[in-house]
Amino acid sequence: MASGRILVAQGGGPTAVINQSLVGVTLEARRFREVTRVYGALHGVRGIIDEDLVDLTQETSHNLELVATTPSSALGSTRDKPDRKYCHEIFNVLRAHEIEHFFYIGGNDSSDTVRIVSEEARAANYPLRCIHIPKTIDNDLVGSDHTPGFPSAARFVAQAFAGANLDNAALPGVYVGVVMGRHAGFLTAASALGKKFPDDGPHLIYLPERTFEIERFLADVKSTYEKYGRCVIAVSEGIHDASGAPIATLLAKEIEKDAHGNVQLSGTGALADLLCDEIKAKLGIKRVRGDTFGYLQRSFIGCVSDVDQREAREVGEKAVQFAMWGDRNGSVAIKRTGYYSSDYELLPLEAVAGKTRTMEDEFITANGTDVTDAFRLYLRPLLGSGMPDAFRLRPNPVAKVLKR
Amino acid sequence: MASGRILVAQGGGPTAVINQSLVGVTLEARRFREVTRVYGALHGVRGIIDEDLVDLTQETSHNLELVATTPSSALGSTRDKPDRKYCHEIFNVLRAHEIEHFFYIGGNDSSDTVRIVSEEARAANYPLRCIHIPKTIDNDLVGSDHTPGFPSAARFVAQAFAGANLDNAALPGVYVGVVMGRHAGFLTAASALGKKFPDDGPHLIYLPERTFEIERFLADVKSTYEKYGRCVIAVSEGIHDASGAPIATLLAKEIEKDAHGNVQLSGTGALADLLCDEIKAKLGIKRVRGDTFGYLQRSFIGCVSDVDQREAREVGEKAVQFAMWGDRNGSVAIKRTGYYSSDYELLPLEAVAGKTRTMEDEFITANGTDVTDAFRLYLRPLLGSGMPDAFRLRPNPVAKVLKR
């Protein structure tokens, strides 16, 4: 390597372990004699063109370890997607600071950013090694067994549904929990890992991989409610009809037509509320409650998978090794090598960028409203150690004296 | 005591530690030679009149300890509030099973239930020792330093805001988190304990103890946003105008008038969404997100205060001791005896039942949108050990080469 200066940045939605990757890059890079400076850009590529850089070489190892355990992007993030002009502004800044290594921690959009930067650098003859480091709670990067950040968010969702199920059992009714994931249902499916006893919820799981039909949904809820006297439902925010139109929009239109006016539905609680309204109105069930997990599921401090933390650290470390000892740009991917053990490889950027993985058919039951044992086996080791567990009183009924 | 049979039940909204109190009662009662049976009623007083009783004497100590660590009412709960007729049905069942001790674990409504049952028993000449065991995440029982269940819910809220603040710092904008508590703002105020650095959120806290004015709210948000480039807001679901009308209703009316139709607002995400819409419309801020913490804050498995767990166990134990060695009915209350240490006393039922504690003035700052150090000192020890902590990179800016 020529300059000895490397740059790392974080893009897209934060995760609980994204700083592990940042610290993995920083500490590993500092082990290489030829690396003279590790810079961080504030708020992703935006910080590069604004020349908002910080020197991570001056940070202590101790504080880096503390930051590693803190959720959400410590350098700040961005949703910016560079075009050619934006890229040339990036190269201007990198050239001015003699930076020839670019590490970008992010999801789908960020992998595409790295691809664009990589291609434009080649076209502009700027010598830049570009490595994409994966993170996304959606678990929707192709080529990876799973993505850092997903296991911790999945753990939050599983714990949330384990608790919501207990709450719903104490005061029976219908509970709808809406989970993030516009195209991929992995995070919503993680709700199934909160289930312990056969009659536990979630009893129904609705994924964006399957078409959502409101009439079938209501029939499912009705029969579950008749069977258990209650019903816990996990819904992906991305559920849609056969034409691909989001259900939130469709239900909103219905209500709009009733009201002959404009109902604003920009808030995040809308889908849960609308589904609850449908259940109340059509099934006549009184106690119907909806929660939208919102930002809690990706940023809650104190709910994290130790497996996820270790792997997020390792993808950062491996990214530096691939850059220093390899000869090509790429995207770091996790391979599963045992139950449970993992290794890392560098995929071509074109194999990852702009592509979306969705849940494999083998992970979804035939009826479309539950996950298979294959999915349970896939996810369980990722949730990490110390998963809280729910216990019940054993049945010891007292014989009735007054009534039979 | 005459019969040797005691009955315990759980009422109202579940908490993370309500089973600690159930197990406290059960294990402590089993130590008394004169207790022959410990019965539990399923779904509160409703289980008594339905004669749905279980024999907790047959449960193993090991399983009881596991149930104690499980959130939400293991016996099930109810919102039923007995009148005289209902009470006489209760006495019929108790008489049939020779039960002369009644322990009821619950909040405000449940304390009133115990008072009614106690008075009706006296009037009906039925010899019944009635003890109310406190629990409520709202912390709104008078006479107690705090109530079991509140510390764990407060911990969830503090952790949630610590994470939401980090998320908001990475992708700046306005974040509104709506917290439970219709009359008392303690749980919303707990959001302040998620704050570490001076510029951390929540920057604004809106409590039901103060009148909410939408214009002042918008001005507060505007000035905070101008100062920090972002704004994290904690809002109690119970905020209301000067006349006491809930803000959710008022904002709903506004939108209803605009739309000339009927907008349904029964869903739980409504208040957050409406406040977000106001901020977007009136302040022109683009990135505005709202979360409603909903049932997660009271039932999430795996987020619990160890102090809360111990105290919830102790109120159950002390309830049995007060019943066995005392001579009157009452409500168990927590007294603070040191920083931090607590003891228990038995208050008259009339001193607790049907009364609502709200946040003391000394806990709220003069401007009404923050808590005082007195509140921080009050709450901190209750959150327990092992609170997760957030860390930041120290500022080490790289000198700009291109721009000044």
Side-chain angles (χ1 to χ4, degrees):
Chain A
M1 75 183 286
S3 74
R5 294 188 185 168
I6 76 162
L7 181 78
V8 58
Q10 299 170 307
T15 78
V17 298
I18 191 169
N19 293 330
Q20 290 283 359
S21 300
L22 171 68
V23 171
V25 167
T26 306
L27 291 178
E28 185 68 7
R30 282 162 33 156
R31 288 180 50 215
F32 281 80
R33 189 173 299 185
E34 56 269 47
V35 173
T36 56
R37 281 285 184 272
V38 181
Y39 287 166
L42 300 182
H43 293 289
V45 286
R46 164 63 49 186
I48 306 180
I49 64 167
D50 288 345
E51 220 186 334
D52 273 337
L53 310 181
V54 294
D55 186 358
L56 297 170
T57 336
Q58 296 178 45
E59 191 52 88
T60 64
S61 309
H62 178 68
N63 199 48
L64 284 171
E65 289 296 349
L66 293 175
V67 169
T69 65
T70 303
S72 188
S73 322
L75 289 174
S77 193
T78 183
R79 296 281 184 196
D80 280 10
K81 186 171 180 175
D83 55 13
R84 177 163 295 182
K85 186 173 163 294
Y86 200 111
C87 281
H88 283 273
E89 291 189 58
I90 289 177
F91 304 144
N92 281 343
V93 174
L94 297 184
R95 195 178 287 117
H97 289 273
E98 299 169 35
I99 293 162
E100 297 185 350
H101 283 76
F102 172 48
F103 297 91
Y104 207 37
I105 310 165
N108 284 36
D109 291 342
S110 302
S111 70
D112 210 35
T113 295
V114 179
R115 182 190 59 79
I116 295 167
V117 169
S118 167
E119 286 172 7
E120 292 295 334
R122 197 177 304 129
N125 256 325
Y126 184 78
L128 188 66
R129 175 65 69 240
C130 301
I131 306 284
H132 168 241
I133 299 169
K135 76 83 212 155
T136 166
I137 64 165
D138 294 334
N139 202 38
D140 60 352
L141 289 182
V142 300
S144 278
D145 179 77
H146 60 280
T147 57
F150 166 64
S152 294
R155 185 173 171 132
F156 182 93
V157 169
Q159 290 185 209
F161 271 93
N165 170 67
L166 293 166
D167 197 293
N168 182 263
L171 288 170
V174 175
Y175 177 82
V176 178
V178 173
V179 181
M180 278 185 174
R182 197 152 286 272
H183 302 294
F186 290 103
L187 197 55
T188 305
S191 62
L193 279 281
K195 201 168 162 154
K196 177 167 177 170
F197 296 96
D199 59 338
D200 273 344
H203 307 100
L204 299 168
I205 301 175
Y206 294 92
L207 307 163
E209 282 81 359
R210 297 289 178 267
T211 298
F212 184 89
E213 294 164 29
I214 188 75
E215 291 310 322
R216 228 198 106 200
F217 167 75
L218 290 170
D220 291 344
V221 174
K222 187 167 182 283
S223 70
T224 305
Y225 190 81
E226 281 168 359
K227 186 173 177 188
Y228 297 115
R230 64 192 193 93
C231 184
V232 175
I233 310 164
V235 174
S236 166
E237 63 178 9
I239 53 166
H240 55 80
D241 72 3
S243 76
I247 298 304
T249 319
L250 296 178
L251 291 180
K253 266 183 200 150
E254 238 182 276
I255 287 179
E256 216 176 284
K257 209 161 43 183
D258 289 353
H260 307 291
N262 292 311
V263 179
Q264 293 202 6
L265 283 159
S266 46
T268 52
L271 180 58
D273 291 352
L274 290 167
L275 290 174
C276 287
D277 288 348
E278 285 287 308
I279 294 167
K280 277 183 215 165
K282 304 278 170 64
L283 300 183
I285 298 171
K286 233 176 129 181
R287 192 169 187 276
V288 184
R289 301 288 186 268
D291 278 342
T292 304
F293 290 6
Y295 291 87
L296 299 183
Q297 65 201 305
R298 83 174 185 201
S299 66
F300 190 79
I301 196 169
C303 179
V304 69
S305 154
D306 51 0
V307 169
D308 195 18
Q309 282 188 307
R310 283 200 301 272
E311 292 182 340
R313 174 69 71 104
E314 285 185 299
V315 291
E317 287 180 15
K318 292 303 294 183
V320 172
Q321 296 179 10
F322 286 132
M324 296 297 159
W325 294 328
D327 58 354
R328 61 189 174 88
N329 298 343
S331 175
V332 182
I334 302 180
K335 289 191 299 187
R336 186 179 298 227
T337 57
Y339 195 81
Y340 175 76
S341 158
S342 60
D343 198 358
Y344 305 91
E345 60 186 331
L346 191 69
L347 301 177
L349 285 167
E350 311 79 62
V352 178
K355 294 187 163 70
T356 302
R357 175 189 180 186
T358 55
M359 277 184 80
E360 289 74 14
D361 285 343
E362 75 203 66
F363 286 162
I364 306 172
T365 55
N367 66 5
T369 57
D370 202 357
V371 301
T372 60
D373 285 346
F375 181 76
R376 289 187 187 90
L377 276 169
Y378 163 77
L379 181 54
R380 187 58 195 82
L382 308 184
L383 300 180
S385 57
M387 272 290 283
D389 205 353
F391 295 88
R392 288 183 182 182
L393 293 169
R394 300 193 181 100
N396 290 298
V398 174
K400 296 195 181 197
V401 176
L402 297 178
K403 296 167 188 174
R404 302 291 124 185
Chain B
M1 79 182 282
S3 74
R5 293 185 186 171
I6 76 163
L7 181 79
V8 59
Q10 299 169 308
T15 78
V17 298
I18 191 169
N19 293 330
Q20 289 284 0
S21 301
L22 171 68
V23 170
V25 168
T26 306
L27 291 179
E28 184 68 8
R30 281 159 39 154
R31 289 180 50 215
F32 281 80
R33 188 173 298 186
E34 55 268 48
V35 174
T36 56
R37 281 283 184 272
V38 181
Y39 286 166
L42 300 181
H43 294 289
V45 285
R46 162 66 47 186
I48 305 180
I49 64 168
D50 288 345
E51 218 184 337
D52 273 337
L53 309 181
V54 295
D55 186 357
L56 298 170
T57 336
Q58 296 178 46
E59 191 54 85
T60 64
S61 310
H62 177 68
N63 200 48
L64 284 172
E65 289 296 348
L66 292 175
V67 169
T69 64
T70 303
S72 187
S73 323
L75 289 173
S77 193
T78 183
R79 295 283 184 194
D80 280 9
K81 185 169 180 175
D83 55 13
R84 177 163 293 184
K85 186 171 164 293
Y86 200 111
C87 282
H88 283 272
E89 290 188 59
I90 288 177
F91 304 144
N92 281 343
V93 174
L94 296 183
R95 194 177 288 117
H97 289 273
E98 298 170 35
I99 294 163
E100 297 184 353
H101 284 75
F102 172 49
F103 298 91
Y104 206 37
I105 309 165
N108 285 35
D109 289 341
S110 302
S111 70
D112 210 35
T113 294
V114 180
R115 181 190 59 79
I116 294 168
V117 169
S118 167
E119 285 173 7
E120 291 297 333
R122 197 176 306 129
N125 255 326
Y126 184 78
L128 189 65
R129 175 67 69 240
C130 300
I131 307 283
H132 167 241
I133 299 169
K135 75 84 211 158
T136 166
I137 64 165
D138 294 333
N139 201 39
D140 60 352
L141 289 182
V142 300
S144 278
D145 178 77
H146 60 279
T147 57
F150 165 65
S152 294
R155 185 172 172 134
F156 181 93
V157 169
Q159 291 185 207
F161 271 93
N165 170 66
L166 292 165
D167 198 291
N168 182 263
L171 288 170
V174 176
Y175 177 83
V176 178
V178 173
V179 181
M180 278 184 174
R182 199 151 284 271
H183 302 293
F186 290 103
L187 197 55
T188 306
S191 61
L193 279 282
K195 201 167 164 158
K196 177 168 177 168
F197 296 96
D199 58 338
D200 274 344
H203 307 99
L204 299 167
I205 300 174
Y206 294 92
L207 307 163
E209 282 80 0
R210 296 289 177 266
T211 298
F212 185 88
E213 293 163 30
I214 188 75
E215 293 309 322
R216 226 197 109 202
F217 167 75
L218 291 170
D220 290 344
V221 174
K222 187 167 181 284
S223 70
T224 305
Y225 190 79
E226 282 167 0
K227 185 172 178 188
Y228 297 115
R230 63 192 193 92
C231 185
V232 175
I233 310 163
V235 174
S236 165
E237 64 178 8
I239 53 166
H240 55 79
D241 71 3
S243 76
I247 298 302
T249 319
L250 296 179
L251 291 179
K253 266 183 200 151
E254 237 182 279
I255 288 179
E256 215 176 284
K257 208 160 40 180
D258 288 352
H260 308 291
N262 293 311
V263 180
Q264 293 202 6
L265 284 159
S266 44
T268 51
L271 180 58
D273 291 352
L274 290 167
L275 290 174
C276 288
D277 288 348
E278 285 286 308
I279 294 167
K280 277 183 214 164
K282 305 276 170 66
L283 300 183
I285 299 171
K286 233 175 129 182
R287 192 169 188 275
V288 184
R289 301 287 185 270
D291 278 342
T292 304
F293 289 7
Y295 291 87
L296 298 183
Q297 65 201 306
R298 82 174 187 203
S299 66
F300 190 81
I301 196 169
C303 180
V304 69
S305 155
D306 51 359
V307 169
D308 195 18
Q309 283 187 306
R310 283 199 301 272
E311 292 181 341
R313 174 69 70 104
E314 286 185 298
V315 292
E317 287 180 16
K318 292 303 295 182
V320 172
Q321 295 179 11
F322 286 132
M324 295 298 159
W325 293 328
D327 58 356
R328 61 192 173 90
N329 298 343
S331 175
V332 181
I334 302 180
K335 289 191 297 185
R336 186 179 298 227
T337 57
Y339 195 82
Y340 177 76
S341 159
S342 60
D343 198 359
Y344 306 91
E345 60 186 330
L346 191 69
L347 300 177
L349 285 167
E350 310 78 63
V352 178
K355 295 186 163 67
T356 302
R357 175 189 179 187
T358 55
M359 277 183 79
E360 289 74 14
D361 285 343
E362 75 204 66
F363 286 162
I364 307 173
T365 55
N367 66 5
T369 58
D370 201 357
V371 301
T372 60
D373 285 346
F375 180 75
R376 290 188 186 88
L377 276 169
Y378 163 77
L379 181 53
R380 187 59 195 79
L382 307 184
L383 300 180
S385 58
M387 271 290 282
D389 205 353
F391 295 88
R392 287 182 182 184
L393 294 169
R394 301 196 180 97
N396 290 299
V398 175
K400 296 196 180 195
V401 175
L402 298 178
K403 296 169 189 172
R404 305 290 121 182

